[in-house]
Amino acid sequence: MSTLLTLSITLLFSSLVWSGYLEYNQDVLIPDDWTHVGRVDPSEELDLTFALKQQHVDLLEETLRLVSDPDSAQYGKHLTLEEVSSLLRPSELTQKVVRQWLQSHGITNCLTVHTQDFLQCTMTAEVAETLLPGSKFQRYTRDRQSVVRSSAPYSVHDAVHQHLDFVGGLHRFPPKVQQQTKASSDRKQKQSKAGVHLGVTPAILRARYNLTAADVGRARNNSQAVAQFLEQYFSPADLAEFMTLFGRSFPHRSQVDRVVGTQGAGKAGVEASLDIEYIMSTGANISTWLFTNPGRHETQEPFLQWMVLLNNMTDLPWVHTISYGDDEDSLSTAYMMRINTEFMKAGVRGISLLFASGDSGAGCRHFGKGQNTFRPSFPASSPYVTTVGGTSFKNPFKVTYEVSDYISGGGFSNVFKMPDYQVSAVNAYLKTVAATLPPQSYYNTSGRAYPDMAALSHNYWVVVNRIPTPWVSGTSASTPVVGGMLSLINDQRLLKGLPALGFLNPRLYKLKGQALFDVTEGCHLACLDEQVQGEGFCASPSWDPVTGWGTPNYPALLAVLLAE
């Protein structure tokens, strides 16, 4: 039987019938900040990632709902990687068809993952362009970074179209880091007078969110992680100096326990330094990992490589914070749907994924002739992650109540429908503030709404290249701060023999704002046009699409999330 199958598959590939595009709505325009260097030599080797069609994705989604819903008998009964693999593994036919297709083009140098739903293969550019008609591989540079991408859309053979979700390594340029900073060479932070501060530090955060010196990690089986994809590196010396300067008031660690991937040479980046320094400040004394993946090859998509890597690791930290995003409209639906499945895989394993909501407010997409819409960001808009927005102090130099940060990303997905867990909260918002909402032509009221919660995102102190640097801002600051607090809550749960929090949103929305500081003032930025005049959505009582449910009141949040 298998001989007959192999023969029939070979005959399929001998015909020159080519199908449509797997990623028919993928934006293939080259971003303005990338410079075209030239065509890739036909003999140059490329690494491409083939996402094989999975089985039982609907069952995975239902399992995630059950293990994440505190009212379900299955709550907290997370799956192992092996169980996830058994559930989703591509059919034997899918695996055979795809491998035979690759082999028919002489492609045999392929690696798979534990879940067998990704293949990473090496081939020459000439072979890749034959395998994927339409593709034209070019080299592009930005600053000191070089990538190889296709300048045109690709197609695949009819016989494999139904067996693949997408092929990675042809499109999707790494986004640029959006950090708001003002550097300072003053190596000593001036001492603050009582009640007054000159920027956000760990002590300020711990005061605002009611963490005491005793609120630090103790469980041996707990860990947390940050993931970096944008050629960003952290310096162990910076982390040590940061903790010397700012970590004296609480027990802490001054070293990252594990770096997964290769730390690049050169100067430390503000983004990487910020993430590590602050997840280790709120999630103090907890084992911390750094995933760093600039991509082993120019064709690799670093974010995708991280997702693939999670499929090969049986033991992972319970909380991951990621400050990364792209415009939803720049990505193909096929790609985002598959990435959502990868997020679900993490959730059913008990892993909490936190993504920054972005620093462009509601965003703005221009269609010409004064026609604009808001512009949601992905993965912030995914229904299967917890998205963190940003706030600032009402008085920027005092520990006061918080208002929304005008940059805080938020809005409604144009791709993913609103998940059940948030329908009542979002509809209540839309009804309550109906009179002051932007015109409905700007956003999709039935889409997944974000963020889910928030934290301070304005005026942080970071140590970068041994220099204490003030005025670092962005939701890439608020996200690791929330991640560290969730790690502390996991710590207490694990000490009590309870499972990790996993995918938080269903439980978070059932709290209805309990244990969070509600943020009710401030709006975020949007299109600068006659209709909305630069203003997107505004904060309001309960949930809103600028700060979600608000910011954590740690002891209260710990109490409600420790309850069985």
Side-chain angles (χ1 to χ4, degrees), residues 351-369:
I351 295 165
S352 302
L353 297 178
L354 277 66
F355 278 87
S357 70
D359 298 343
S360 303
C364 188
R365 189 180 186 193
H366 307 286
F367 289 97
K369 294 183 181 178

Side-chain angles (χ1 to χ4, degrees), residues 364 366 370-374 442 526-534:
C364 188
H366 307 286
Q371 287 186 311
N372 298 319
T373 62
F374 294 160
Y442 279 74
C527 302
L528 198 58
D529 59 24
E530 284 186 23
Q531 284 197 280
V532 298
Q533 297 179 18

Side-chain angles (χ1 to χ4, degrees), residues 246-272:
F246 301 120
R248 293 174 183 170
S249 62
F250 55 92
H252 60 265
R253 298 186 181 205
S254 296
Q255 290 183 320
V256 168
D257 283 333
R258 185 169 176 189
V259 175
V260 182
T262 306
Q263 273 267 91
K267 290 185 175 181
V270 175
E271 174 81 56

Side-chain angles (χ1 to χ4, degrees), residues 404-435:
S404 60
D405 191 340
Y406 75 99
I407 64 167
S408 180
F412 297 80
S413 173
N414 290 321
V415 179
F416 312 113
K417 71 180 181 68
M418 192 180 297
D420 291 344
Y421 60 74
Q422 69 170 184
V423 168
S424 62
V426 178
N427 285 344
Y429 167 80
L430 292 171
K431 186 177 178 182
T432 303
V433 300

Side-chain angles (χ1 to χ4, degrees), residues 119-134:
L119 277 175
Q120 295 190 294
C121 303
T122 303
M123 69 206 75
T124 64
E126 183 177 28
V127 168
E129 290 180 2
T130 307
L131 181 77
L132 305 168

Side-chain angles (χ1 to χ4, degrees), residues 94-111:
T94 288
Q95 293 185 59
K96 211 161 218 173
V97 167
V98 173
R99 284 186 179 275
Q100 191 72 41
W101 170 59
L102 294 168
Q103 287 167 8
S104 72
H105 288 79
I107 301 166
T108 55
N109 184 8
C110 294
L111 298 172

